[in-house]
Structures are given as C-alpha cells and as structure tokens.
Amino acid sequence: MESIQRQNDLQNFRERGFGQTLGIGNRPCVLVVDVIKGFTDPAMPLGSDLSRQIEVTNRLLREAHQKNLPVFFTTIAYEENLEDSGIWLEKMGGLKTLKSGTDAVQLDPRLHYQKGDVILNKKYASAFFGTDLISRLNVNRVDTVIVTGCTTSGCVRASVVDALQYGYRPIVVRDAVGDRSLASHDQSLFDMEQKYADVLDASELIAYMQSYTAIS
C-alpha cells in the first residue's frame, strides 16, 4: 500500500513539473555534514549507527582527493554555557552533549579526512548559516555541492535548501546520508529530489569524478 501511495505521489509531482534534473556543474565540492562522534555513536542522545554511510562517504572522499576537489566537513560545537545554541536547545535537549572540546564534537575517526580539508563549526542546522562556507565556495569557484552526512531530515536537508537558495547545484548522495528515523530519511529524500536537489547513488558520482577534468 505504501509503495502504491509513493508511486501516486511521484506521478502527481511529476505531472506538475516537480523533480526536474539540475545536473552537475563545472566545479563540484564534497560537503560532509555532521559526521561527528555525537551523531555516529548510537549510545549518545543524538547518535545512530552510520557505519554504512561512512564507508560510502570515504569512497567519495578518495575520488575527490585524487581530483583535488574541495572537501568540507561540518561539526556542531557550543560554548560551555550553551548560550550560543539559542532557543534550539529548548527544542532538542540532546544539543547539550555537543560542547566544544569534548569527544562528541570531533569528526568520526573512520572518516578519511586529510590535510587541506576544511572543518567548519556551525551552531544550527545549515552548513551555510553563520559560517564562511559561501566565501570558501566562491574562492574555489564551486558551483555544485555534493552532500553526504546526517541527518537527512535535519542538517543535510537544511544545507541542501540553502545551497539551492544561494545558487549552487545541490547533489544528495542517496547511500551516504542517514537519519535516526528511516521514515524521516525516506520522506526527506523524496522531498529534496522533488524540490531542491538531484539525488544520486555514490556509484554514479564516483564514475563522474573519475572522468572529471578541471576547467581552467
């Protein structure tokens, strides 16, 4: 029944012009959203098992590094008194576990981070809000943002919407994003593909990167 409903929704959207393809531009980057210990340790209040997504992300990172494409990671870290969390803390109490200097805000050590990659500290859902990501993308002449990480319905989605609004082409890597809720994950992928981004498998993007030649 759910599958039939999803098919009906998809047909309804497509008949109304949703879900068009944005395509990949001339200069992509990889944005890894919030793959930090506080989100990848299932024992943490905000955590879940993202082992499979980390493996897929590392395959993308290997190709991006070989092609010298810009790579950005994000974390969320707050001051000891949490005053910089605004009213978001009132909505999500688990944010209190994300304090600067703690293990929870460190990148998951399984990620293939390398020297030259950028780590951005954000306070809210979008990687663009309150960071210098736009300036860094512009300096690197990036026009396409390939997004992995977590959560699909939260910070990934917020970053994708902002990327579109700022004029970048967002590409969500279907098998490299994850969420605490499978239902939220599936619905968010559907929504983003219909309204804000292309949603592709990692294998498609790896094939693209392997054939990528920088345009001077």
Side-chain angles (χ1 to χ4, degrees):
M1 179 66 75
E2 182 180 350
S3 177
I4 293 174
Q5 181 62 55
R6 179 59 62 96
Q7 291 175 12
N8 289 340
D9 287 346
L10 183 59
Q11 180 178 351
N12 188 33
F13 273 70
R14 293 291 166 82
E15 288 176 352
R16 288 159 174 76
F18 291 81
Q20 304 297 314
T21 299
L22 288 171
I24 304 174
N26 295 321
R27 176 70 168 165
C29 75
V30 176
L31 174 63
V32 183
V33 177
D34 295 351
V35 183
I36 59 177
K37 294 179 182 178
F39 288 158
T40 61
D41 180 354
M44 296 289 288
L46 299 175
S48 61
D49 183 6
L50 297 174
S51 299
R52 180 176 56 82
Q53 288 84 354
I54 291 173
E55 290 178 8
V56 175
T57 294
N58 282 336
R59 289 166 48 203
L60 287 163
L61 290 175
R62 182 168 55 249
E63 300 299 332
H65 289 145
Q66 288 182 353
K67 294 293 183 177
N68 293 318
L69 296 177
V71 174
F72 302 92
F73 297 86
T74 67
T75 183
I76 302 180
Y78 296 111
E79 299 167 358
E80 180 64 26
N81 59 16
L82 296 167
E83 288 184 352
D84 52 342
S85 64
I87 64 169
W88 199 14
L89 180 62
E90 298 178 24
K91 192 68 177 175
M92 284 181 47
L95 293 178
K96 65 184 178 185
T97 64
L98 304 178
K99 292 184 179 179
S100 296
T102 66
D103 213 35
V105 304
Q106 302 302 312
L107 295 183
D108 189 297
R110 293 173 291 179
L111 283 173
H112 291 175
Y113 169 86
Q114 75 173 32
K115 184 179 180 181
D117 295 342
V118 175
I119 301 176
L120 300 170
N121 184 34
K122 62 188 181 66
K123 307 291 183 180
Y124 292 95
S126 172
F128 290 84
F129 187 81
T131 73
D132 64 350
L133 179 56
I134 293 175
S135 295
R136 292 177 181 272
L137 295 180
N138 289 342
V139 165
N140 285 282
R141 295 177 294 155
V142 167
D143 59 7
T144 302
V145 182
I146 297 171
V147 184
T148 78
C150 61
T151 61
T152 316
S153 62
C155 296
V156 166
R157 177 176 175 138
S159 300
V160 162
V161 172
D162 269 356
L164 178 84
Q165 291 172 157
Y166 283 116
Y168 304 101
R169 297 173 183 273
I171 309 291
V172 180
V173 188
R174 190 194 320 272
D175 42 349
V177 293
D179 205 298
R180 305 174 196 92
S181 161
L182 181 58
S184 294
H185 169 81
D186 288 342
Q187 187 60 48
S188 294
L189 281 181
F190 179 87
D191 288 340
M192 287 189 285
E193 187 168 26
Q194 299 310 312
K195 303 171 186 173
Y196 307 116
D198 291 351
V199 179
L200 301 176
D201 292 332
S203 58
E204 298 174 82
L205 288 159
I206 288 171
Y208 163 78
M209 288 184 187
Q210 289 174 339
S211 64
Y212 173 78
T213 302
I215 298 176
S216 58

